[in-house]
Amino acid sequence: MVDMASWSVTATQFLNRVHSRLAARAGSATAFVSQPEPRTTGQLARGRQLCAGNLMFAGYLAEGKGAMIWDIEVEDSAWQDEIHAFRWLDDLAAVGDAEARKLAQTWLMGWIARYGRGSGPGWVPELAGRRLIRWIHHALFLLRGMSAEDSATFYRALAAQTRFLAKRRGAALPGLPRFEALTGLIYAALSLEGMRAHFEPARQALDLECSRQIDVTGGLPTRNPEDLLEVFTLLTWARAALEEADLEPGGAHLNAITRIAPTLRALRHADGGLARFHGGGRGAEGRLG
């Protein structure tokens, strides 16, 4: 069993590498046909700390004003996951000034230069999904003042990750990772020119995942409340993106949102945080209204 599990992981990593490189070599998107409203909210204080050179991810603090985030070596996969997911972009967008924008653009173009050809730890479906959501949410923030050459590079990177997700979305683990991959793919398929062919398979896959993973009580198989909140957030973002494009979410998608909402209310403490069990924390600030 151990050998089979090891072989499966190796095969998945190999296929991710193959498809990431193939995706990076294909054609580019050239524009946004639509753009969902930014729904991810960052923390102003955290964004200012990033601008000041205090980088805190996964419990590690690195200091370096003007440092390129990709040059900082921390031997922990959780650090790598956090920086490659680009959630820090929410915090820089919350600051929103010229300094924060410049830093965001520098780190973005640094990622593309180093990893955009399909290499590095960020080329797994769930991280690609998280990253696409942030890049699309904050595209106007990122593109403002960017050169034509850098804009074209940005669009190429968006297209490459969309094609990668279209091939590898099913390789994400069931549950939260697969919801992240599918939501990112739906966002990109709706938003980017030339990517609409990926939309319907992604919508159907999201509907199927909802029917498989969300039980009649509105819970996940992991029973992790924080994961459930993240899934609920992704499903509401996907529903909003579909409705903004005058498209109907699937029945299982809508039913999952309806079932999860009262379950999260029941798991909420008086301080607004979630019950902490099965490995879950209190949930992101402001997510649980």
Side-chain angles (χ1 to χ4, degrees):
M1 290 295 291
V2 173
D3 289 342
M4 286 296 294
S6 177
W7 181 88
S8 178
V9 169
T10 301
T12 297
Q13 292 172 342
F14 172 75
L15 288 171
N16 283 343
R17 287 196 300 271
V18 168
H19 285 289
S20 65
R21 284 163 174 77
L22 290 173
R25 293 174 185 171
S28 173
T30 56
F32 283 102
V33 292
S34 67
Q35 185 182 348
E37 288 291 322
R39 302 184 193 282
T40 48
T41 55
Q43 298 179 27
L44 179 63
R46 185 177 170 89
R48 286 176 173 161
Q49 287 295 312
L50 292 174
C51 291
N54 300 316
L55 283 59
M56 172 73 81
F57 300 103
Y60 296 93
L61 175 64
E63 298 183 3
K65 177 73 172 177
M68 176 64 79
I69 192 172
W70 317 114
D71 290 334
I72 298 171
E73 295 184 7
V74 176
E75 295 299 324
D76 190 299
S77 60
W79 168 284
Q80 296 297 327
D81 286 353
E82 283 204 29
I83 65 173
H84 282 271
F86 272 70
R87 283 186 173 173
W88 46 262
L89 189 52
D90 296 338
D91 302 317
L92 292 178
V95 178
D97 61 13
E99 181 186 9
R101 182 181 298 106
K102 181 62 176 176
L103 184 61
Q105 291 171 338
T106 299
W107 287 357
L108 168 71
M109 300 312 295
W111 187 92
I112 295 172
R114 189 168 302 193
Y115 306 112
R117 294 183 179 179
S119 63
W123 286 93
V124 294
E126 58 270 28
L127 291 182
R130 289 182 218 169
R131 195 163 53 243
L132 274 175
I133 291 170
R134 266 67 190 187
W135 287 18
I136 292 169
H137 274 182
H138 302 301
L140 293 179
F141 172 71
L142 290 167
L143 288 167
R144 190 172 303 152
M146 188 180 282
S147 70
E149 182 181 355
D150 284 350
S151 295
T153 300
F154 177 56
Y155 282 119
R156 279 196 300 273
L158 282 166
Q161 291 170 89
T162 304
R163 285 188 294 269
F164 170 74
L165 273 181
K167 292 290 187 181
R168 298 300 293 158
R169 55 181 171 78
L173 292 174
L176 177 57
R178 194 168 296 171
F179 282 112
E180 290 173 323
L182 290 170
T183 302
L185 182 55
I186 285 173
Y187 261 64
L190 291 174
S191 302
L192 293 169
E193 190 174 78
M195 297 296 152
R196 194 57 177 265
H198 303 308
F199 164 68
E200 189 56 35
R203 178 167 65 169
Q204 292 178 10
L206 182 63
D207 221 42
L208 181 60
E209 195 68 13
C210 287
S211 64
R212 286 176 171 172
Q213 293 294 311
I214 309 302
D215 62 28
V216 293
T217 65
L220 286 167
T222 63
R223 318 310 296 174
N224 182 316
E226 189 174 18
D227 281 359
L228 185 64
L229 175 58
E230 291 294 324
V231 168
F232 179 74
T233 301
L234 290 166
L235 292 178
T236 56
W237 287 349
R239 181 186 63 184
L242 287 165
E243 290 173 348
E244 287 168 5
D246 294 324
L247 296 166
E248 286 292 327
H253 180 175
L254 293 175
N255 287 338
I257 292 173
T258 301
R259 291 198 299 271
I260 293 171
T263 301
L264 287 174
R265 284 196 291 270
L267 292 168
R268 180 175 57 188
H269 288 311
D271 65 357
L274 285 169
R276 304 181 190 185
F277 52 81
H278 294 293
R282 74 186 310 276
E285 198 71 33
R287 285 277 178 85
L288 191 60

